[in-house]
Amino acid sequence: MAAQAAHAAERVLTTLAHLIDEDCLREAYRPTSKASAAGIDGVTAQRYAEHLAEHRRDRHERVRRGGYEAPPVERVWREQDDGGQRPLGKPTCEDQMVHRAGARLLDAIDEQDLQDSSYGFRRGRSPHEALHALRERCMTEGIGWIVEAEVRGDFESIDKTWLRDRLRTRVHEGSLVRLMGKWRHAGVREAGVLRHPETGVPQGGVRSPGLANLCLHQVVDAWCERAGRPRMKGRGFLMRCAEDVVMGGALATEARRIMAVLPTRCARFGRRMHPTKTALSAFRKPGVRQDTEDGNGPCDFLGLTHSWTTSRRGCWVIKRTTAGKRRRRPKKSLWRWGRPNRHAPLQDQYQRRCLK
C-alpha cells in the first residue's frame, strides 16, 4: 500500500477497508497503555482486556458491516507554563484501537507526501534527529539568521471540510471515508455537556497528531519548498517538529522577509503565531564579518537553547543547554507542592519530592 502511494502521487487507492481485520486490530491494541484513563464509557484498559478476544471479534464485525459508531471524546484541561490551559481529549479504549488501526493505513499514505524537513509524529523520525540536523546545518552552511516560530491552534482549528477533501484525493473507498467522517463529527463532552465543534479535532486522539502534521505540511512545509526556497539567493533550510518551526537563512533580508510573510501565510489557514515564541535572531558564527549592527544571540528549539561557544580545542561549535523555562518548570512544581506541605514530616516530604 505504501509502495503504491509512493509510486504515483496522483494515484487514488480504492481497496483499503479489508486491511482492518482482526490481526490489524490485535496489533493496534499492543501500544495501548494499561494504565490509561477511561473515556466517556468509564471502561479502563485493564477492564477491557479481561474479554479481549470477544471484544475484538465484535469490534471487527461492526467495522466490517459499517455499524461502528465513534463515541464522543471526554475533554479535560491541562495547565501550561505560560499560565494558559491546553485541551486534552480522552477517547475510549475501544475507539483508540479502531482509530489506531485506521490511522496506520492513512499514515502510510500520507508519509509519501511529507517533506524531509518534518520530524514530528512520523515513524522512523524523532526530535533528536531534528536537533542534530539543526546543529550540523548551522555549522556547515554558513547560516547567520534564525526564525523561530510556533503555530498555535493546530489541533483545534483544522478545517474538517479540508480534511475530508484531502482524504478523498488519496482514498476513494466509501466505508473507510465514512469511518473517518464518524470520528470527525463524534463531538466532545466537557463537564457533562456534549458539543460538536465545527472545526478542529480533539487533542489526544490517535489520528489527531497525523492530521495536524498533514495540515502544517500544507501550511508551512509545502509553501516553503514551492514559494520560499526558489526565491532565496543564499543558503537556507526549514525544520519543523509538530508545531515548532525553525527557518535558517544566510542573508538578513531574506530572514526578515520570511518573518513578515509567515504570520500572513498561517492566517490564511486559520492559524496564528505564538506572540512570545516567534522571533528573529542573528545566529552568526563569532568572528564572521557582520553586515548589520544586530547582536548575535542564541535560539531555542525543542526545549533546548542553541548557542555558539568554543570547544576544548578552541574551535567554534554549537552547544545545547536546557532552556530556561524548562529548568523553571520542575522548580515551580516543587514550590507549589512544598508551600502547603512545608509542615509535613521530613521523611514524607523527601519521598514525595523524589517522586516529582
Side-chain angles (χ1 to χ4, degrees):
M1 177 188 58
Q4 295 179 2
H7 180 70
E10 68 280 0
R11 173 173 296 182
V12 180
L13 304 178
T14 58
T15 55
L16 291 175
H18 70 281
L19 298 177
I20 306 180
D21 53 10
E22 291 194 27
D23 293 336
C24 181
L25 295 175
R26 184 185 298 107
E27 292 298 323
Y29 173 76
R30 294 182 184 276
T32 303
S33 175
K34 307 306 181 291
S36 59
I40 194 175
D41 58 353
V43 179
T44 62
Q46 293 181 352
R47 179 181 172 187
Y48 191 84
E50 294 177 356
H51 305 281
L52 183 60
E54 299 177 6
H55 291 317
R56 185 172 60 246
R57 287 192 296 268
D58 176 69
R59 185 172 61 252
H60 173 255
E61 179 62 23
R62 283 183 287 144
V63 172
R64 187 188 62 81
R65 58 182 173 85
Y68 179 79
E69 296 294 336
V73 177
E74 185 77 18
R75 171 171 289 179
V76 296
W77 293 85
R78 176 175 296 178
E79 186 177 356
Q80 292 183 299
D81 296 337
D82 56 2
Q85 290 185 331
R86 182 184 66 180
L88 183 63
K90 296 191 301 180
T92 63
C93 182
E94 180 181 71
D95 191 51
Q96 286 187 46
M97 286 175 280
V98 181
H99 210 164
R100 188 177 292 113
R104 287 186 174 182
L105 299 180
L106 299 180
D107 288 344
I109 299 174
D110 297 336
E111 178 68 21
Q112 315 307 321
D113 301 331
L114 299 179
Q115 302 286 344
D116 293 337
S117 58
S118 175
Y119 291 87
F121 303 129
R122 298 178 64 180
R123 180 171 296 183
R125 287 174 172 259
S126 67
H128 297 282
E129 296 180 359
L131 293 172
H132 178 75
L134 174 64
R135 182 178 185 272
E136 293 300 320
R137 300 199 66 170
C138 287
M139 291 181 59
T140 58
E141 297 184 8
I143 300 300
W145 296 85
I146 293 292
V147 176
E148 311 166 38
E150 179 177 329
V151 183
R152 302 194 67 181
D154 55 330
F155 286 99
E156 295 80 14
S157 58
I158 299 178
D159 188 0
K160 294 182 179 180
T161 303
W162 179 86
L163 290 177
R164 180 197 61 194
D165 297 339
R166 178 63 177 77
L167 175 63
R168 290 180 176 178
T169 59
R170 301 305 305 269
V171 178
H172 187 69
E173 185 174 11
S175 58
L176 190 58
V177 172
R178 285 191 297 270
L179 183 60
M180 296 296 114
K182 292 178 181 180
W183 280 316
R184 290 197 305 269
H185 302 283
V188 176
R189 193 181 73 173
E190 181 180 352
V193 179
L194 180 62
R195 298 187 299 107
H196 293 82
E198 296 182 359
T199 60
V201 293
Q203 189 168 352
V206 178
R207 178 63 176 157
S208 299
L211 294 176
N213 200 31
L214 186 63
C215 188
L216 289 176
H217 160 77
Q218 181 70 19
V219 176
V220 181
D221 302 353
W223 165 74
C224 182
E225 187 69 24
R226 181 181 64 254
R229 193 180 300 276
R231 299 179 182 179
M232 298 181 66
K233 297 181 180 180
R235 291 185 177 182
F237 65 84
L238 164 70
M239 291 184 186
R240 183 179 61 83
C241 187
E243 70 276 5
D244 295 325
V245 180
V246 169
M247 294 184 181
L251 304 179
T253 55
E254 296 177 348
R256 292 193 177 96
R257 188 184 305 117
I258 293 174
M259 187 69 178
V261 175
L262 189 59
T264 305
R265 171 68 181 180
C266 294
R268 289 181 54 188
F269 290 83
R271 276 149 187 80
R272 61 190 185 278
M273 311 304 298
H274 196 289
T276 61
K277 298 182 181 180
T278 301
L280 170 64
S281 59
F283 198 66
R284 295 177 293 265
K285 182 179 180 179
V288 179
R289 183 180 62 87
Q290 300 182 3
D291 54 352
T292 65
E293 299 298 331
D294 297 332
N296 192 26
C299 71
D300 293 340
F301 184 54
L302 297 181
L304 297 176
T305 298
H306 306 255
S307 58
W308 284 97
T309 184
T310 55
S311 65
R312 293 181 178 180
R313 297 183 178 181
C315 303
W316 286 108
V317 296
I318 296 177
K319 291 188 178 181
R320 301 183 290 259
T321 57
T322 305
K325 62 178 182 179
R326 294 299 178 94
R327 292 197 303 266
R328 291 190 295 269
R329 181 186 299 175
K331 295 180 181 179
K332 189 175 181 180
S333 177
L334 287 173
W335 181 86
R336 287 180 176 178
W337 179 88
R339 185 172 179 82
N341 296 275
R342 61 184 180 275
H343 298 301
L346 293 179
Q347 186 66 21
D348 296 344
Q349 293 190 40
Y350 172 77
Q351 294 179 357
R352 290 297 300 270
R353 290 177 184 271
C354 290
L355 294 177
K356 289 180 177 295

